[in-house]
Amino acid sequence: MCSSTLRLFLFLAASAVAICQTFNKSEVLFVVSRFRESLESLCILKDYNHVVYNRGEASTLKQCGFHVKERTENVGRESYVYLSHIIDHYDHLPPAIVFLQGDVKELRKDLAVLFDTGQVTLPPKSDGFAFLYSKCTSSRKASHIAELTKRYGPAVKDLLLNGHEKLLDVSIANPRYSGFGYFIVTRDAILRRPKSFYLKLARLIGDRNDPFEGHFFERAWAEVFLSQCAMDKARYYCSLIPKIVCK
């Protein structure tokens, strides 16, 4: 290999290291928001660093030996649990956190990416954040907005159309997301925002058990953490499964 080619190879290799992040099993914490789900399909988590925030009957959790923290308030959907964990541990976060809802039936195939090798590698351009679900769609899909507007009223439509700018101070032309509120985020990405920012978001949803804002957060977690992974109008870099095509 000639010297110029070797220099180019080394440069590209160094660049790849700079944009890809790999976390070993001991560096990742799994945070689960659970209400009534059995969590049987998540029993593998007992071998990983994890915490289950339980807001329902606890008897079905004993079989897997989960580390459970009881929460008496059932408010804010899973978003409130996620934000509360960040707030409570803001100064002592692990290198990476996987946030999950208790129902993972839509995620079983994609979870294999996390458990097959015992480590997690965020793909290039994920920018410290990746959804775990392998499908994505527009955050402003008309049929979704119509359905949620019928359920909650016009305020949810305004939030879904304008919330990135109004609430997150982010301008994005084509916001996209992968559903169900499953994602991994690095400590560095979380710390891009001050603790006061997460407190502000938690206050928005901490007084109701089904706030419409929770649907916005499900669509906007990447931008909550100031990730650039959805900023490219044509390509979508926000998935742990990098091959997906977004519609």
Side-chain angles (χ1 to χ4, degrees):
M1 184 181 293
C2 69
S3 59
S4 60
T5 304
L6 177 60
R7 285 196 298 271
L8 176 61
F9 173 82
L10 292 175
F11 172 79
L12 292 175
S15 299
V17 171
I19 61 177
C20 294
Q21 294 175 285
T22 297
F23 299 95
N24 295 320
K25 178 178 177 179
S26 62
E27 297 177 302
V28 180
L29 174 70
F30 288 80
V31 173
V32 181
S33 172
R34 185 260 180 184
F35 181 40
R36 294 174 177 169
E37 305 89 348
S38 72
L39 299 192
E40 186 176 352
S41 58
L42 284 175
C43 281
I44 192 173
L45 290 185
K46 68 181 185 298
D47 299 322
Y48 290 75
N49 299 322
H50 74 275
V51 58
V52 175
Y53 288 101
N54 180 52
R55 298 179 290 175
E57 173 58 49
S59 61
T60 56
L61 299 180
K62 297 177 182 178
Q63 58 186 354
C64 293
F66 289 119
H67 176 52
V68 177
K69 290 188 177 181
E70 300 292 340
R71 299 192 72 95
T72 56
E73 75 281 15
N74 180 27
V75 295
R77 301 170 59 89
E78 77 280 356
S79 301
Y80 187 75
V81 173
Y82 297 173
L83 291 167
S84 295
H85 182 87
I86 290 171
I87 292 163
D88 292 344
H89 300 86
Y90 186 83
D91 296 320
H92 305 284
L93 295 166
I97 303 177
V98 174
F99 287 99
L100 298 170
Q101 295 192 58
D103 184 358
V104 295
K105 64 178 180 294
E106 299 287 350
L107 194 65
R108 288 174 182 171
K109 292 181 180 179
D110 300 323
L111 276 176
V113 174
L114 298 178
F115 298 131
D116 281 351
T117 64
Q119 64 183 23
V120 180
T121 298
L122 293 178
K125 297 190 178 182
S126 68
D127 199 23
F129 175 91
F131 287 110
L132 305 186
Y133 189 52
S134 61
K135 298 179 182 179
C136 84
T137 189
S138 169
S139 300
R140 297 168 180 166
K141 190 173 182 179
S143 60
H144 290 177
I145 291 177
E147 179 183 346
L148 291 171
T149 300
K150 183 177 180 180
R151 178 176 173 184
Y152 293 102
V156 70
K157 179 178 181 179
D158 178 66
L159 184 61
L160 292 176
L161 292 177
N162 303 301
H164 286 83
E165 291 80 7
K166 290 183 177 180
L167 196 58
L168 306 180
D169 196 25
V170 170
S171 179
I172 179 169
N174 183 24
R176 290 149 290 169
Y177 76 108
S178 303
F180 302 104
Y182 312 126
F183 60 88
I184 180 170
V185 62
T186 66
R187 173 174 57 208
D188 290 344
I190 293 173
L191 295 179
R192 291 171 187 151
R193 302 275 200 179
K195 185 177 181 179
S196 58
F197 173 80
Y198 300 108
L199 284 165
K200 179 187 74 172
L201 298 186
R203 292 190 190 104
L204 282 176
I205 56 176
D207 60 347
R208 290 157 289 152
N209 64 1
D210 187 23
F212 65 80
E213 292 92 345
H215 293 279
F216 170 73
F217 289 137
E218 180 184 337
R219 290 157 172 75
W221 282 118
E223 290 75 44
V224 166
F225 303 113
L226 290 177
S227 172
Q228 300 286 311
C229 63
M231 290 298 180
D232 190 308
K233 292 182 180 180
R235 297 292 301 275
Y236 178 75
Y237 298 103
C238 298
S239 177
L240 200 63
I241 315 297
K243 66 180 182 297
I244 68 171
V245 176
C246 195
K247 298 180 181 179

